Amino acid sequence: GHGWEHAWCLVKSMSQIALKSDLIISNSVIGALEKSTQWVNALQQFCGIALDAVRCNMITYNAVISSCNKDGRWQKALYAFNEMWHHKVEPNAITFSVSISACGESGEWESALHYLRVMADSKLQFNTITLNAAISTCKGA
């Protein structure tokens, strides 16, 4: 569907009439954009959150990382992951899984193993998705 277009228009309309979007609205819009592989718009909304001085959360970062990864923008996905750490937002297993997949897209198997080690160090439980992403990445090396 094109539900993302309605969400995107709503957020744009809000900014035109000087209404600020809160984190819940922004996360919803980024999630809709991520599901529709609209990575450019997802990044634009993500940057807009930062400009509004709203603190992004794990949901925000996961949606942006996933959106970029789905469209083959692995560099931007990994950049968003690193920004997440920089802003002291704790990643979860989904964050690591998508980031490891992004490494696989780029053939960066060493980076994938690094993220796997970081995940282990942060005491998060590995799941099937994370391990499959790591195996796929290393298999392609």
Side-chain angles (χ1 to χ4, degrees):
H2 295 283
W4 68 269
E5 292 171 340
H6 298 296
W8 188 240
C9 286
L10 176 65
V11 169
K12 289 297 177 192
S13 297
M14 286 175 67
S15 66
Q16 290 172 356
I17 59 173
L19 282 176
K20 292 217 185 255
S21 172
D22 67 7
L23 188 59
I24 294 170
I25 292 170
S26 292
N27 283 348
S28 297
V29 170
I30 291 171
L33 294 169
E34 179 259 330
K35 287 175 181 48
S36 303
T37 63
Q38 297 292 318
W39 71 272
V40 172
N41 293 336
L43 276 179
Q44 191 174 11
Q45 180 66 21
F46 176 68
C47 292
I49 294 170
L51 290 175
D52 288 342
V54 174
R55 185 162 158 72
C56 297
N57 63 17
M58 179 186 53
I59 295 167
T60 315
Y61 283 103
N62 284 352
V64 169
I65 292 167
S66 182
S67 180
C68 292
N69 190 43
K70 281 183 179 178
D71 200 42
R73 307 296 178 186
W74 59 270
Q75 303 99 326
K76 295 190 183 311
L78 297 178
Y79 176 80
F81 181 89
N82 291 327
E83 282 294 300
M84 185 177 192
W85 280 104
H86 177 74
H87 292 285
K88 297 181 179 13
V89 177
E90 290 291 322
N92 65 4
I94 294 168
T95 316
F96 281 101
S97 297
V98 176
S99 298
I100 290 168
S101 290
C103 293
E105 295 293 322
S106 64
E108 295 287 330
W109 63 271
E110 292 166 328
S111 295
L113 291 179
H114 167 74
Y115 286 122
L116 208 55
R117 277 191 298 278
V118 171
M119 184 178 179
D121 291 344
S122 63
K123 308 290 188 239
L124 287 172
Q125 288 287 106
F126 293 121
N127 61 30
T128 305
I129 297 168
T130 306
L131 294 174
N132 282 340
I135 291 167
S136 295
T137 298
C138 293
K139 189 169 107 178

